[in-house]
Amino acid sequence: MINRLAVGLVCGIAVVLSAVQVRADEPVTPLDELLQTPISTASKYDQQMSDVPASVTVITAEEIARYGWRTLADVLNSTSGVYTTYDRAYTYLGVRGVGLPSDYNNRFLVLIDGINMTLPGSIGIGTTLAIDLASFSRIEFIRGPGSTMYGTGAMFGVINLITKDERERSSVTVGGGSAGLMTGAARASIAAGELKGSVAVSWQESRGRDLYIPEYDAPETNHGVVRRGDWDHDRSILATARWRDVQFLALQSTRSKGVPTGSWGTEFGGSQKITDGRTLFAIEGTRRLGAGKTLTARAFNDRFDYHGSYPFEGGSVLTDNSSTSSTSAELQYVWDIRPTQRLTAGAGYVNSRISTYAWALDGEAFSVGAPYETLSLSAQLESKLSRLLTLTVGASYDNRSGAAAALTPKGALILKTGRNSALKVLYGRAFRAPNSYEREYESGDFYASDHLGRENIRTFELVWEQKITPSVLLSAALFDQNMTDLIRLQP
């Protein structure tokens, strides 16, 4: 069991100057408009930023265009308390002093329009995501535990990518840069009567830089220099459609990457490469059942495939593959009991038909993993105790086959301390169930644990948000987080 205490003061100043323009025809979102932007990630229904029971950052499409961010890692690096690391294969995310390289970001959830894309137990935030950021109207980053609304994995935060709708104008962009970088993207809006939608495609290729790695500085390894081994290719197509109260989403993406670092003892400067691909289909419908009563149903199928090839000295080649295919269904019922009270109840079911990791070396093949099912139930009550004070309480129950059930509570008290300020007192718990790789992988110096349980985190947080001027927002957070049973790969 690993206990870690992180107490820090994080101050972030978001400056939005309405006098500055990205281009002459592309005005910057004013701060007042940004603060009124509906945030849907924390509670699964629209709230203003000051009412969200969490520490939240919103990154708009204007900011993405202004700074030229190309990956989700670029975006998140701009927010307070966040840092990333990169090992020339994947980019790893850390927040508030906690980040474990090689955990494949499995303690965060990344969503697209509320659809969980972290079902394989990992998510790429660099070029692995392989989606053009110009496809999104905004990105919502909710810090802290989120298991009450999202189940396993939402330990450190939830990131929701909100797609642009048919009202956004069509666009075509091409670009290039050093290391042979070439990019292209196009987005078209479609409207035919009550059927409206959009299609976005993107493509990127880079030959990569020549690298010098001091650890390999010897004559037999080209004095530590590897040439054109850092290449990176990705492409994607993202389509959305809306007909009356029904919405559709389809995503197909793939990314191939050269690995130039001689990782895992493989041949330095060899032809190591990895490929990640995802295919996602989703449908969502919303129906009003009466005054203040709304039912939302969602179903989606997500398939994720990984393949790696790692040559060793002497001609041996290690190959490994991972496949996950899951079908999920969710129901959410929102009931405005009275003008000052809102109840949100939800249920979710995941049937992971395929969840395997396999590897082969010198004619010997091995595999781990088995199908599993997950059932989740959640409830949250938001009550306005007065004009200035709001209390939110909630809990979720999650039961996954082959793992112990988990009950996770949350609570938030929000005080409007002034017309332009709010004080939030937050408490939350979250968990993560181990994946098949962590429970069963054995090879060489690594062995499987027979009694591997879920990870847990408990967080207390104090957040203050203050609008200083019409274009400056100051936020500060004081937090205390305690993690137990943290899972790590260890010889």
Side-chain angles (χ1 to χ4, degrees):
M1 181 173 68
I2 298 177
N3 293 305
R4 178 176 293 185
L5 180 66
V7 179
L9 183 64
V10 181
C11 295
I13 301 178
V15 181
V16 182
L17 301 175
S18 58
V20 178
Q21 294 184 336
V22 180
R23 289 186 285 269
D25 59 346
E26 191 172 324
V28 173
T29 303
L31 180 59
D32 284 336
E33 182 179 331
L34 179 63
L35 295 178
Q36 299 298 318
T37 299
I39 310 300
S40 60
T41 306
S43 300
K44 291 192 174 181
Y45 56 79
D46 290 346
Q47 298 173 294
Q48 292 183 8
M49 185 180 294
S50 60
D51 296 325
V52 175
S55 173
V56 57
T57 297
V58 179
I59 302 95
T60 65
E62 290 89 349
E63 290 177 281
I64 293 172
R66 182 189 316 132
Y67 295 111
W69 293 322
R70 295 177 45 248
T71 68
L72 183 56
D74 295 336
V75 172
L76 296 174
N77 262 327
S78 73
T79 65
S80 61
V82 172
Y83 58 93
T84 60
T85 55
Y86 178 48
D87 64 2
R88 299 289 168 179
Y90 296 100
T91 303
Y92 307 98
L93 180 62
V95 65
R96 292 179 166 177
V98 182
L100 299 177
S102 78
D103 69 356
Y104 301 103
N105 304 315
N106 54 19
R107 296 175 179 90
F108 294 85
L109 291 190
V110 174
L111 319 175
I112 180 167
D113 287 348
I115 300 166
N116 186 357
M117 295 200 299
T118 322
L119 289 177
S122 66
I123 188 69
I125 61 169
T127 57
T128 315
L129 190 62
I131 307 176
D132 179 31
L133 294 186
S135 303
F136 305 113
S137 63
R138 67 182 187 277
I139 297 173
E140 299 174 3
F141 177 36
I142 308 297
R143 297 172 182 81
S147 285
T148 299
M149 302 306 294
Y150 292 100
T152 178
M155 293 186 63
F156 296 154
V158 179
I159 304 145
N160 196 6
L161 312 175
I162 311 297
T163 59
K164 292 179 177 178
D165 60 26
E166 72 283 351
R167 292 171 294 183
E168 300 282 350
R169 62 188 179 184
S170 301
S171 62
V172 176
T173 60
V174 293
S178 58
L181 175 65
M182 295 183 292
T183 65
R187 181 183 175 279
S189 297
I190 303 168
E194 292 187 281
L195 179 62
K196 300 175 175 61
S198 66
V199 177
V201 296
S202 65
W203 162 81
Q204 178 217 258
E205 288 196 7
S206 172
R207 70 167 184 268
R209 300 179 182 276
D210 296 341
L211 301 174
Y212 168 67
I213 300 178
E215 289 83 355
Y216 286 97
D217 193 345
E220 62 271 18
T221 51
N222 198 36
H223 299 283
V225 176
V226 57
R227 303 188 186 279
R228 297 199 175 186
D230 194 30
W231 55 269
D232 194 338
H233 304 158
D234 67 72
R235 46 192 47 83
S236 70
I237 179 169
L238 173 65
T240 62
R242 179 167 55 89
W243 181 72
R244 297 183 179 178
D245 295 327
V246 181
Q247 300 180 64
F248 305 88
L249 182 143
L251 168 67
Q252 203 286 321
S253 65
T254 183
R255 178 254 201 173
S256 296
K257 177 72 174 66
V259 184
T261 57
S263 57
W264 301 104
T266 55
E267 180 185 6
F268 177 72
S271 54
Q272 297 95 335
K273 65 178 181 179
I274 54 178
T275 299
D276 298 280
R278 161 168 266 115
T279 303
L280 173 66
F281 297 98
I283 181 172
E284 177 183 308
T286 302
R287 185 176 181 84
R288 292 182 60 86
L289 303 180
K293 299 176 182 178
T294 304
L295 180 66
T296 301
R298 172 186 291 151
F300 55 95
N301 188 85
D302 184 17
R303 183 177 177 94
F304 179 84
D305 292 286
Y306 155 85
H307 175 74
S309 176
Y310 297 90
F312 285 87
E313 294 282 355
S316 296
V317 178
L318 170 69
T319 60
D320 63 344
N321 303 272
S322 176
S323 294
T324 301
S325 182
S326 300
T327 300
S328 305
E330 298 176 359
L331 283 175
Q332 178 180 289
Y333 178 65
V334 178
W335 179 23
D336 292 331
I337 303 173
R338 51 177 61 94
T340 58
Q341 282 190 325
R342 170 171 285 182
L343 174 67
T344 304
Y349 172 74
V350 177
N351 180 6
S352 185
R353 303 179 307 279
I354 302 173
S355 180
T356 61
Y357 174 73
W359 66 101
L361 177 65
D362 295 331
E364 292 188 90
F366 311 88
S367 66
V368 298
Y372 65 87
E373 297 176 296
T374 303
L375 175 66
S376 303
L377 302 172
S378 64
Q380 176 176 289
L381 180 65
E382 178 185 347
S383 301
K384 288 190 175 297
L385 305 180
S386 70
R387 185 174 60 87
L388 302 178
L389 192 63
T390 301
L391 174 66
T392 301
V393 294
S396 71
Y397 170 82
D398 295 88
N399 191 353
R400 173 174 167 173
S401 58
L407 181 67
T408 52
K410 70 176 289 186
L413 191 64
I414 302 177
L415 174 64
K416 299 292 182 65
T417 55
R419 183 171 177 267
N420 297 315
S421 62
L423 180 67
K424 303 178 181 181
V425 182
L426 311 172
Y427 168 81
R429 287 183 177 270
F431 73 99
R432 184 180 73 88
N435 57 40
S436 298
Y437 174 79
E438 293 168 325
R439 288 185 298 180
E440 302 176 44
Y441 175 74
E442 288 188 350
S443 179
D445 295 330
F446 296 96
Y447 60 91
S449 173
D450 295 330
H451 305 287
L452 197 61
R454 65 176 182 266
E455 300 178 329
N456 298 281
I457 185 171
R458 183 270 299 150
T459 298
F460 291 98
E461 188 172 356
L462 189 66
V463 178
W464 174 57
E465 297 171 347
Q466 174 70 56
K467 180 181 174 183
I468 305 297
T469 73
S471 59
V472 178
L473 174 70
L474 172 70
S475 67
L478 181 69
F479 56 89
D480 174 284
Q481 56 190 21
N482 179 270
M483 290 162 286
T484 58
D485 302 321
L486 206 58
I487 299 169
R488 301 184 69 179
L489 183 66
Q490 179 176 322

